Amino acid sequence: MPLVRVSAAQLSYGTQILLDNVDFQIDKGERVCITGRNGVGKSTLLKVIQGDIKLDGGELWFDSGVRISCLQQELPAADDRLVDSVVAEGLPGVGELLAAFNELSMQELDEKGLKKLAKIQHDIDSVDGWSAQAKIDNVMSRLKLPSGVSMSTLSGGWRRKVALAKALVCEPDLLLLDEPTNHLDLATIDWLEKQLLDFRGALLFVTHDRALLQNLATRIIELDRGWAFSWKGDYHSFLEYREQRLATEEKHNELFDKRLAEEEVWIRQGIKARRTRNEGRVRALKALRNERAERRNVTGKANIATQSSEKSGKIVIEAQDLRHSFADKKIVDGFSTVIQRGDRIGIIGNNGAGKSTLLKMFLGQLQPMAGTIKQGTKLEVAYFDQLRTELDGEKNIIDNVSQGRDFIEVNGKDRHIYSYLSDFLFSPERARTPVGVLSGGERNRVMLAKLFSQPSNLLVLDEPTNDLDVETLELLEEILMNYPGTMLLVSHDRAFMDNVVTSSIVFEAPGRVREYIGGYSDWKTQGGTISVTAATEEKPQVTAAVEVKETPAASKKLSFKLKHELEKLPAKIEALEEQNELWQAQVADSGFYQRPREEQDKVLAQLAEAEQALEVAVERWAELEELASE
């Protein structure tokens, strides 16, 4: 049964057609990914369904009473709001009352403040708001979010979890997600993927993360030149379908162009073409010309090429017993490695683990507190900075890339700057645009154009994949795999790492850095894990699951039976936590979602049952603890 139906949708921005008579629907339980090149209207389509943008024509239909929620691409602000209040914002109206109540109840109030609190409490009672509070408590418990904690104390990964809780608290029938993995670390991406697989409503999402797309999507809708093409299946089968579709289109266009050329020859034969009996053929030719003029050609692919310089020495970087810390946080504690010419090294770790710090030590930009780093001979470094500090937002694309040159030398041949930039999908008009107004994907392509305009034998890439569309990602992979020099790559894109790198340096825990053969999946297969401390990046937070490990002193108000139950609960909760970790480890395994669906459902059901048992045990402990303290 459809939740949302789009019929004959029309939408244009100026001369750019985003939607041209588009039809599709989202059914209950589906997980649909919208894919396509940057700028084709993927995010715009999500905003149409949200009601933020109106169609120029066509119909948008919703099932009666359907609840739609959205996980925004931007993270919630790290401000003084409580986590509980942000989650409550997901319940319009009553959520605002509950947020105000939570904020006030955490303060010391005077008489005026107490009256205000009483008024809010009365308003909550009048709309049965405490049942909504139960929903908030439930979703925060499921996502293991801390209560009463300020957003300013949370990392980006935890704020993403708060945003998901806000989206889920209204129990939506359809959840919209726009690039949900952007700027998340690997642990948070794995966690988010699991939560979305467990979600029982429908999903409509946009992502460039091919691993997430493959594991999550049950159907794919490709936006291409204003049209929508739907494919029921996973990403790998979609690629085969798309290749066949484009090949069929190309063959059709070749036949059409051949017929048009024949008719153009005929019309030039002279007076015979103007006889009355041939007027129909003349009109048909005009129709062919019009159809050809209106054809929307497939957008060209970027044509990226690297410049290789003189070979470096055999040893590129040699590190011995590196040690480095910031304040009391260990970054590297006794790491050694030898990077040789031709190695493609991936650096894996969570946000804040120290990946960029390690790169700077390798490049000599930062001195380690202990240990030694030796760089090899004849090194020429090209560095892709994730913060894009190499780009001047006030200057246009040409000035950023050319640095005053009219021609760029690429592997011994001179290319005019306009011609060179066209390889990165910038038209002459777009090339004169200031960098500051470009989209994230365009800024990345400018950075790549600048990077590859200079010869190098050591390529350092810090998060190069952010905001790039899938086609450009795949082309970049191909270029990097054929790069003749040495490469150091930091990325949270699991598929990209698997396809490009030959070995991985992994930040597994504070100070603990290890090297593995292969990419992300190879590391996981070899038993690689990242500690919870490294994944959360948080100061220790007090939760019920932590507190219960201390046996509380039983009060005399409790009966002997209840005392005994209270004393036994901490051990029971600890055992349930261990059981949960075992199920979660199975689900987190990279091969889990390649198993038969029946096995997946069985394990997920057992995990849900274990989580429910843990939640009941913790609530029972809290109840008895409260009785004991009276």
Side-chain angles (χ1 to χ4, degrees):
M1 179 178 177
L3 299 172
V4 178
R5 184 185 298 119
V6 177
S7 303
Q10 300 279 350
L11 185 64
S12 300
Y13 285 160
T15 59
Q16 183 182 9
I17 300 174
L18 295 181
L19 303 176
D20 184 8
N21 208 36
V22 166
D23 297 291
F24 70 88
Q25 68 182 40
I26 308 296
D27 294 330
K28 285 186 176 180
E30 279 197 301
R31 299 194 296 265
V32 182
C33 180
I34 304 173
T35 188
R37 301 295 293 267
N38 287 341
V40 297
K42 303 186 294 294
S43 297
T44 301
L45 183 55
L46 290 184
K47 291 177 181 177
V48 166
I49 294 175
Q50 283 180 257
D52 296 337
I53 294 177
K54 291 186 177 180
L55 294 170
D56 296 336
E59 181 184 2
L60 183 60
W61 174 89
F62 298 98
D63 187 26
S64 176
V66 66
R67 294 185 301 273
I68 299 177
S69 185
C70 179
L71 177 63
Q72 299 290 348
Q73 189 172 349
E74 299 79 15
L75 291 175
D79 52 25
D80 293 332
R81 292 177 300 166
L82 297 179
V83 169
D84 314 60
S85 300
V86 176
V87 176
E89 291 172 5
L91 295 169
V94 67
E96 295 172 3
L97 291 172
L98 291 169
F101 181 86
N102 289 331
E103 297 287 345
L104 280 174
S105 62
M106 297 291 290
Q107 302 172 18
E108 292 186 10
L109 301 176
D110 56 16
E111 185 177 349
K112 184 177 179 181
L114 289 171
K115 287 182 179 179
K116 183 177 181 182
L117 184 64
K119 171 67 167 58
I120 294 173
Q121 186 171 356
H122 176 269
D123 292 342
I124 293 173
D125 290 336
S126 66
V127 294
D128 191 25
W130 301 114
S131 61
Q133 182 63 54
K135 290 182 180 180
I136 295 170
D137 294 340
N138 180 53
V139 74
M140 287 183 62
S141 174
R142 280 196 292 124
L143 302 187
K144 297 180 173 59
L145 292 175
S147 178
V149 173
S150 168
M151 292 291 291
S152 61
T153 66
L154 301 184
S155 71
W158 277 97
R159 281 187 284 140
R160 173 65 72 189
K161 294 181 181 183
V162 174
L164 181 61
K166 177 183 173 182
L168 293 178
V169 72
C170 69
E171 299 175 349
D173 303 299
L174 174 61
L175 179 60
L176 309 179
L177 308 102
D178 191 359
E179 297 289 4
T181 63
N182 261 10
H183 310 293
L184 297 185
D185 56 38
L186 288 169
T188 309
I189 290 172
D190 284 340
W191 173 88
L192 178 63
E193 186 176 288
K194 175 187 174 299
Q195 297 300 320
L196 296 177
L197 283 165
D198 288 345
F199 179 61
R200 296 308 174 194
L203 296 177
L204 182 63
F205 63 102
V206 174
T207 185
H208 66 264
D209 187 322
R210 289 160 296 170
L212 183 78
L213 200 167
Q214 171 65 22
N215 294 337
L216 199 59
T218 58
R219 184 157 64 94
I220 296 172
I221 296 175
E222 182 185 23
L223 294 184
D224 181 15
R225 293 163 285 166
W227 303 307
F229 301 92
S230 180
W231 173 254
K232 194 172 183 62
D234 63 9
Y235 179 60
H236 292 158
S237 60
F238 163 76
L239 291 177
E240 296 177 2
Y241 153 76
R242 185 180 65 182
E243 185 176 355
Q244 292 173 358
R245 177 175 62 79
L246 292 176
T248 301
E249 179 183 339
E250 184 178 4
K251 185 176 181 180
H252 170 80
N253 288 340
E254 288 176 356
L255 292 173
F256 179 93
D257 291 345
K258 182 179 179 182
R259 181 186 172 195
L260 177 60
E262 290 171 350
E263 293 302 291
E264 293 288 3
V265 170
W266 169 81
I267 198 68
R268 288 176 177 80
Q269 289 178 350
I271 191 66
K272 289 188 295 182
R274 297 181 178 86
R275 291 177 183 171
T276 303
R277 65 173 183 236
N278 289 325
E279 284 183 0
R281 190 170 178 180
V282 172
R283 288 194 295 271
L285 173 58
K286 290 180 179 178
L288 288 175
R289 286 173 175 172
N290 291 335
E291 184 177 343
R292 179 63 184 86
E294 293 175 1
R295 180 188 297 171
R296 300 173 206 162
N297 293 316
V298 177
T299 304
K301 292 185 177 181
N303 183 25
I304 303 172
T306 60
Q307 286 199 68
S308 57
S309 62
E310 182 183 357
K311 284 185 177 181
S312 66
K314 184 176 181 181
I315 302 297
V316 176
I317 295 171
E318 183 175 0
Q320 289 290 333
D321 198 28
L322 291 186
R323 299 177 190 274
H324 198 77
S325 302
F326 288 129
D328 58 347
K329 180 182 179 181
K330 287 185 178 180
I331 302 297
V332 183
D333 189 14
F335 176 64
S336 301
T337 188
V338 176
I339 299 174
Q340 301 189 50
R341 183 177 63 230
D343 286 347
R344 299 197 298 272
I345 310 294
I347 301 178
I348 297 174
N350 288 310
N351 292 338
K355 303 183 297 296
S356 297
T357 299
L358 183 62
L359 281 182
K360 290 177 180 178
M361 287 193 285
F362 282 164
L363 298 177
Q365 298 175 359
L366 178 67
Q367 292 300 314
M369 292 179 174
T372 60
I373 293 180
K374 295 180 181 178
Q375 292 187 349
T377 58
K378 302 178 182 178
L379 287 185
E380 292 190 54
V381 181
Y383 185 26
F384 185 101
D385 176 13
Q386 67 165 317
L387 299 178
R388 318 295 180 258
T389 54
E390 296 284 330
L391 299 179
D392 186 337
E394 299 296 324
K395 295 181 178 179
N396 62 26
I397 297 174
I398 295 174
D399 292 339
N400 268 281
V401 174
S402 69
Q403 297 177 318
R405 298 171 290 175
D406 290 329
F407 291 87
I408 303 289
E409 184 178 332
V410 180
N411 294 327
K413 296 182 178 179
D414 283 342
R415 298 278 308 280
H416 193 275
I417 184 62
Y418 283 114
S419 174
Y420 176 72
L421 289 175
S422 70
D423 289 346
F424 294 82
L425 303 181
F426 292 114
S427 65
E429 181 181 5
R430 194 62 173 168
R432 294 188 290 270
T433 304
V435 166
V437 302
L438 300 179
S439 68
E442 288 177 315
R443 287 172 66 89
N444 260 21
R445 281 191 272 125
V446 174
M447 194 71 188
L448 290 172
K450 183 174 183 178
L451 182 76
F452 294 139
S453 70
Q454 59 192 50
S456 67
N457 52 34
L458 175 58
L459 197 54
V460 182
L461 304 169
D462 194 352
E463 295 290 358
T465 64
N466 286 344
D467 304 310
L468 292 181
D469 57 44
V470 172
E471 287 84 354
T472 307
L473 275 176
E474 291 172 346
L475 177 62
L476 182 59
E477 281 178 358
E478 183 180 342
I479 295 302
L480 295 180
M481 284 189 286
N482 294 320
Y483 180 65
T486 307
M487 185 182 69
L488 301 176
L489 169 68
V490 174
S491 178
H492 293 139
D493 189 316
R494 296 164 289 178
F496 193 80
M497 295 286 276
D498 282 344
N499 293 338
V500 170
V501 306
T502 56
S503 63
S504 302
I505 295 173
V506 187
F507 287 76
E508 295 188 324
R512 191 175 77 213
V513 183
R514 293 182 179 175
E515 192 165 4
Y516 293 82
I517 299 298
Y520 172 81
S521 296
D522 298 303
W523 163 63
K524 295 288 284 186
T525 301
Q526 295 172 64
T529 58
I530 294 178
S531 73
V532 174
T533 304
T536 60
E537 308 168 32
E538 302 303 336
K539 299 173 182 177
Q541 297 170 353
V542 179
T543 64
V546 176
E547 291 177 0
V548 295
K549 293 184 180 179
E550 297 182 7
T551 304
S555 165
K556 293 180 180 179
K557 292 180 181 290
L558 293 177
S559 66
F560 175 82
K561 183 178 179 181
L562 291 180
K563 287 180 187 178
H564 184 69
E565 182 183 357
L566 181 56
E567 290 170 353
K568 294 290 185 183
L569 271 173
K572 179 181 179 180
I573 290 172
E574 191 166 355
L576 286 170
E577 287 177 331
E578 291 174 357
Q579 187 179 14
N580 264 278
E581 288 174 1
L582 291 175
W583 290 123
Q584 288 168 353
Q586 281 198 49
V587 174
D589 183 79
S590 60
F592 176 76
Y593 294 108
Q594 307 304 320
R595 297 187 194 177
R597 187 56 186 256
E598 296 76 17
E599 289 185 26
Q600 293 181 33
D601 290 342
K602 183 178 179 181
V603 172
L604 291 172
Q606 289 168 324
L607 173 59
E609 184 178 342
E611 288 178 338
Q612 180 64 28
L614 176 60
E615 184 177 341
V616 169
V618 170
E619 288 177 353
R620 180 59 174 166
W621 173 86
E623 179 184 350
L624 293 179
E625 173 70 356
E626 185 176 356
L627 286 173
S629 63
E630 290 178 353

